[in-house]
Amino acid sequence: MDSITHTLFGLALYGAKKKDSETKSMKKSLFFTALVGSQIPDIDVLSQFTATGEVMYQMWHRGLTHSVFMVPVWALIIWGCCAWIWRERSIKLFLFGMLAVFIHDVSDLFNAWGTGFLEPFSAIRITFGTIPIVDLVFWILIGGGYLLKRWKKFPPVSSLGISVWSASPASRSRLWKPLCGRSLK
């Protein structure tokens, strides 16, 4: 998936978190965690700026950095940044970071390129090949839900997004059928 979609997933995750009783520094930490966690596995794009990386970029991209085994490592790094910048050391941030990174890794499984989800223990690229790298449907659903929520005339983003997605024919044919072998009709 593209960076915009991953960012929208991070913003939706942050929006779905109840923050009424949180301090200002915790809210900043949660926002940072959601956004960085939704992007951090793509840090491997920096490898293309090296001589070896120019040649190996396609093999390295979505490799080890997208491994399910790196999820707690990325979450720990993000948690450490929050502890250092905002002095927030709650386990909630670590778990929230794990969720943000996991959403990134799993969502990339559905594109045509696939990921090294089980690296370094397996070199197999896993892909379901059900969505393109840039999917405007996600942009419209999540971005539109965000805008509607912003105008405070509609239910929360998560409820709206789930309702629209589950009611759409795309959810039945593009997601469930390849995974389960049948539609949800």
Side-chain angles (χ1 to χ4, degrees):
M1 295 192 139
D2 61 286
S3 296
I4 293 172
T5 305
H6 286 305
T7 300
L8 289 171
F9 280 149
L11 290 173
L13 183 62
Y14 176 76
K17 170 75 172 93
K18 185 177 178 183
K19 299 173 286 295
D20 297 339
S21 62
E22 303 294 354
T23 64
K24 188 175 181 178
S25 64
M26 178 56 93
K27 288 178 185 178
K28 289 179 181 180
S29 297
L30 287 166
F31 183 75
F32 175 84
T33 300
L35 284 185
V36 173
S38 71
Q39 295 293 328
I40 196 70
D42 283 337
I43 199 165
D44 58 8
V45 300
L46 297 177
S47 68
Q48 67 185 331
F49 298 114
T50 65
T52 306
E54 286 180 36
V55 177
M56 296 298 295
Y57 172 70
Q58 285 300 328
M59 289 301 298
W60 288 345
H61 186 51
R62 293 189 193 99
L64 184 61
T65 60
H66 284 67
S67 172
V68 70
F69 303 109
M70 286 293 290
V71 170
V73 174
W74 291 130
L76 187 62
I77 291 169
I78 295 166
W79 177 85
C81 290
C82 291
W84 181 59
I85 297 169
W86 293 287
R87 307 286 186 240
E88 292 290 346
R89 292 175 176 84
S90 173
I91 189 71
K92 286 190 291 188
L93 288 171
F94 175 75
L95 297 173
F96 200 62
M98 283 186 60
L99 181 59
V101 175
F102 187 73
I103 289 171
H104 178 116
D105 290 352
V106 170
S107 65
D108 274 351
L109 289 173
F110 290 90
N111 67 37
W113 291 95
T115 66
F117 196 69
L118 300 174
E119 285 191 12
F121 302 105
S122 173
I124 295 173
R125 291 284 198 165
I126 301 172
T127 180
F128 300 126
T130 56
I131 57 174
I133 299 293
V134 176
D135 193 342
L136 297 179
V137 172
F138 283 112
W139 289 16
I140 292 167
L141 286 176
I142 300 172
Y146 171 76
L147 292 174
L148 291 174
K149 171 67 172 146
R150 196 86 174 130
W151 294 326
K152 298 184 188 239
K153 295 180 184 175
F154 294 94
V157 174
S158 56
S159 301
L160 179 67
I162 290 169
S163 300
V164 171
W165 177 251
S166 61
S168 73
S171 69
R172 291 179 189 87
S173 63
R174 291 175 60 192
L175 179 61
W176 293 108
K177 197 169 183 177
L179 291 177
C180 303
R182 59 184 173 83
S183 65
L184 289 176
K185 295 179 182 177

